Structure formats: structure tokens, C-alpha cells
Amino acid sequence: MGEICALCKELENDALIMYKDDYCFGVVAKWPLKKGHILVVPLRHLSDVSQLSEKESKAIFQFIGNLQKALPKLYGRDVIVIQNPNHKRTEGHIHFHVLPSIGGIRDLFSKYEGVPNRKESSYEDMAKMAEEIRVEIGG
Ligand SMILES: [Zn+2]
């Protein structure tokens, strides 16, 4: 195997880990976008959300919920949760970014991807999209 994954390696850094249970841990981001930027990481070296077990999913989202309560008291309001696609990650090891943010996802997309103002979708368009996705995922 190649190099040891940086997130697996973070587990040795007790000082940077603010939480750890049998399924996941929380570590302060090494290159934070802003103060209060936390990474929530499954203990197992997984590359996709679909690989998370039920227990891992539950532990991760309970912890994220706790961070959403704690971070505003410490660093700033409006905590957002982001998970990048595999090929956009520095590490293959899946992780959720949790950080305070003045803007929500709409602001981020409009600023950086030039997405125009929102337009209300028709019921028909929404139903069509739901059906396309349903067929694709085999539901
Ligand atoms: Zn790893």
C-alpha cells in the first residue's frame, strides 16, 4: 500500500480530536476555511456515503447534531454541513465538513458557480425528476 491516509493518521493526534466513539471522530481541520471548521470522519477508511453502516451513519449524524448546537456558542451561527465528492477530496477517506457560515448553500452556489436566482419548478418538472432518479437508483 502507499502512504498512510492523513485522516487515519489524525487519530494519533489526541490533541486535535474533540470527539471519538466506536464509529466516528471529530478533528479540527488542518486547513480551516474559518474558525470552527471541523471534520467529522468515520473510523473506517471508507470512500463513499453508501458504504457507511447504520451505526456509523447514526453516530456521525448525532455528533454533527451536537456540533450544530455547540459551534454557534463558540465561533458563529448558521452551521453548514458539506461532503465533497471523492475526486475533489484531498483524502479518499470520507469526511463531512462542519463549519459556521453566514451564507447557506444557495449563497455558495450563486457566488462560485454562477447559479442564477431561484426559479420555482413546476409540479410536473419536479415529478419528472423524481421519477428519473427513482428509476436510476432502482427504487
Ligand atoms: Zn483513512
Side-chain angles (χ1 to χ4, degrees), residues 26-68:
V27 62
V28 176
K30 195 168 184 181
W31 293 281
L33 294 172
K34 62 187 297 190
K35 204 173 168 89
H37 186 167
I38 309 298
L39 304 183
V40 176
V41 193
L43 284 186
R44 293 196 296 151
H45 184 99
L46 304 173
S47 56
D48 274 302
V49 171
S50 63
Q51 297 169 323
L52 291 169
S53 73
E54 239 173 81
K55 284 176 174 172
E56 285 165 332
S57 300
K58 190 176 173 198
I60 284 169
F61 281 97
Q62 276 180 345
F63 176 44
I64 286 174
N66 290 337
L67 287 174
Q68 284 184 318

Side-chain angles (χ1 to χ4, degrees), residues 4-9 11 25 41-46 91-94:
I4 297 171
C5 157
L7 288 175
C8 285
K9 222 174 160 188
L11 273 170
F25 66 99
V41 193
L43 284 186
R44 293 196 296 151
H45 184 99
L46 304 173
E91 298 299 333
H93 196 149
I94 193 172

Side-chain angles (χ1 to χ4, degrees), residues 3-23:
E3 292 165 41
I4 297 171
C5 157
L7 288 175
C8 285
K9 222 174 160 188
E10 294 277 24
L11 273 170
E12 298 160 14
N13 261 322
D14 278 346
L16 304 181
I17 307 288
M18 85 282 306
Y19 176 80
K20 188 182 165 212
D21 61 27
D22 290 341
Y23 306 102

